[in-house]
Amino acid sequence: MRAIQVKQYVKGPEDLTVTTVPDLIPSPSEYLIAIHATATNFFDLLQIRGKYQHQPALPWIAGSEFSGTIIRTPSSSSSSQKPPKFAVGDKVFGASQGGYATHIAAREDRLRPVPRDWTFFDAAGLFVTAPTSYAALVTRAHVQKGDYVLVHAAAGGVGLAAVQIAKAFGATVIATAGTKQKRDVAISYGADHAVDYTDAAWPEQVKQLTPEGRGVDIVYDPVGMIAPSMKCIAWNGRLLVIGFAAGDIEKVAMNRVLLKNISIVGLHWGVYATMEPETVEVVWDGLFKLMEEGKFRGTCFTDREFVGLESVPEALKALGGRETWGKVVVKLPAEGGSKI
């Protein structure tokens, strides 16, 4: 099989190369999947440099998120003796170490069925962003009809997911983004208003978009903008800490938390499978319901097409250079030359 294998840490994605590696031999509890599309993530950029908190032992295959077709089912069940959930030929998406390859091995809990009428391309970008945003807004912040929700970096992967989920639950969404194109993208995914967060007056602009200038009920922050967002949050508001894309860990004036009676709520979706596995199923059930109702669609970047494993370095460079919106996904034509 072909893959992007990391034998030693690299300076950047331009140093990645595609090589031929031995075919995968899944463990008895794993499926073998032929990959048709693979998604890029910021943590991939860290991992190839040896800078991520989870580093596999060298050598390893880069990438994580993918979609594809089951070509082999587990030979035994890990715990329950239940038959495999998926059959050969089933279309799935998921995440497991080694997404930048023609094939991948994955446990059943790391896979979900491709939603009805969805392409492999769109499904490849679902596994991380969609449940992160749903768990944050629904499980942690209890979004409801009538809420005003501020979504930072709204044109990003988790941002566009958050915009759609908040709208599906009846909220009014105010999106922030640093360019007009990205603000237009957020509006096209359902945001009611869009604000330029490079303008120092953005908190006041956000307040003016809420009833009587009271501020927003929920702030969804994957960037690291909690402190300035306190200027435009309402009484009893909820501030969701999703990530720190800006690179800095904030220090917050806790007196503001007291004075406005607000809550700062964290979300570490990746640990739910260990700490709260029952919630994982609830989140996915909710997401699939939104998809069936047509209230949630794919968030893949479409301004430029990336095809083949050889295009993964360029896709990662575009992602790292903030040149894109949504999820940057690479299409992988089937081996032998046929197209997806």
Side-chain angles (χ1 to χ4, degrees):
M1 69 179 221
R2 300 170 69 246
I4 294 179
Q5 187 181 56
V6 177
K7 295 181 179 179
Q8 61 182 19
Y9 297 129
V10 297
K11 292 181 179 179
E14 63 276 3
D15 298 323
L16 297 174
T17 58
V18 180
T19 59
T20 298
V21 298
D23 289 342
L24 279 174
I25 301 176
S27 73
S29 62
E30 291 180 320
Y31 290 84
L32 183 63
I33 301 110
I35 296 178
H36 300 318
T38 184
T40 62
N41 286 284
F42 281 103
F43 62 76
D44 294 331
L45 289 165
L46 295 174
Q47 200 176 52
I48 62 174
R49 295 183 177 100
K51 303 295 186 181
Y52 194 52
Q53 58 260 41
H54 304 297
Q55 292 293 148
L58 295 167
W60 47 271
I61 296 172
S64 175
E65 279 187 289
F66 64 89
S67 63
T69 304
I70 301 286
I71 58 175
R72 188 184 304 170
T73 59
S75 56
S76 70
S77 178
S78 57
S79 57
S80 60
Q81 296 312 310
K82 292 181 181 178
K85 180 179 179 180
F86 302 106
V88 171
D90 282 354
K91 300 176 180 179
V92 295
F93 68 94
S96 186
Q97 186 66 53
Y100 298 155
T102 54
H103 298 81
I104 195 168
R107 302 190 316 269
E108 190 165 283
D109 65 326
R110 304 296 293 170
L111 299 172
R112 299 283 159 176
V114 170
R116 185 172 59 185
D117 298 328
W118 278 53
T119 63
F120 285 119
F121 176 68
D122 280 322
L126 267 177
F127 198 80
V128 172
T129 55
T132 295
S133 296
Y134 191 99
L137 288 165
V138 182
T139 305
R140 299 290 279 156
H142 307 293
V143 65
Q144 58 187 337
K145 185 176 181 180
D147 279 342
Y148 275 69
V149 178
L150 175 63
V151 179
H152 286 306
V158 291
L160 290 177
V163 167
Q164 295 182 84
I165 293 163
K167 286 299 296 180
F169 277 79
T172 297
V173 175
I174 302 171
T176 72
T179 68
K180 183 181 184 304
Q181 183 201 17
K182 290 184 178 181
R183 292 192 292 276
D184 289 344
V185 168
I187 293 291
S188 75
Y189 272 81
D192 298 281
H193 310 281
V195 173
D196 182 358
Y197 66 72
T198 66
D199 184 335
W202 72 260
E204 184 59 31
Q205 294 171 18
V206 168
K207 284 182 66 177
Q208 293 307 311
L209 293 170
T210 63
E212 299 179 357
R214 64 175 175 82
V216 296
D217 302 288
I218 299 171
V219 174
Y220 181 96
D221 180 22
V223 180
M225 297 174 68
I226 292 296
S229 296
M230 287 185 180
K231 297 177 182 178
C232 60
I233 194 164
W235 172 263
N236 276 337
R238 289 87 79 198
L239 292 151
L240 287 164
V241 181
I242 307 302
F244 311 97
D248 296 323
I249 306 299
E250 288 182 281
K251 294 181 179 179
V252 175
M254 296 305 291
N255 62 314
R256 291 185 180 178
V257 178
L258 182 151
L259 292 171
K260 285 196 168 184
N261 209 53
I262 57 180
S263 303
I264 299 178
V265 185
L267 187 283
H268 191 173
W269 173 247
V271 181
Y272 269 75
T274 301
M275 301 299 294
E276 210 173 310
E278 65 279 6
T279 301
V280 173
E281 297 307 315
V282 173
V283 166
W284 278 113
D285 287 347
L287 278 167
F288 274 99
K289 182 174 184 290
L290 294 184
M291 295 177 212
E292 287 288 333
E293 294 173 348
K295 295 178 180 178
F296 190 97
R297 60 187 171 100
T299 61
C300 294
F301 176 70
T302 54
D303 293 358
R304 178 182 174 189
E305 190 175 53
F306 299 96
V307 180
L309 287 174
E310 287 78 8
S311 70
V312 166
E314 283 300 314
L316 284 170
K317 284 173 64 178
L319 177 71
R322 314 284 178 168
E323 303 169 10
T324 61
W325 51 264
K327 288 290 294 191
V328 180
V329 173
V330 178
K331 297 178 180 180
L332 300 188
E335 290 182 303
S338 61
K339 295 185 177 180
I340 301 171

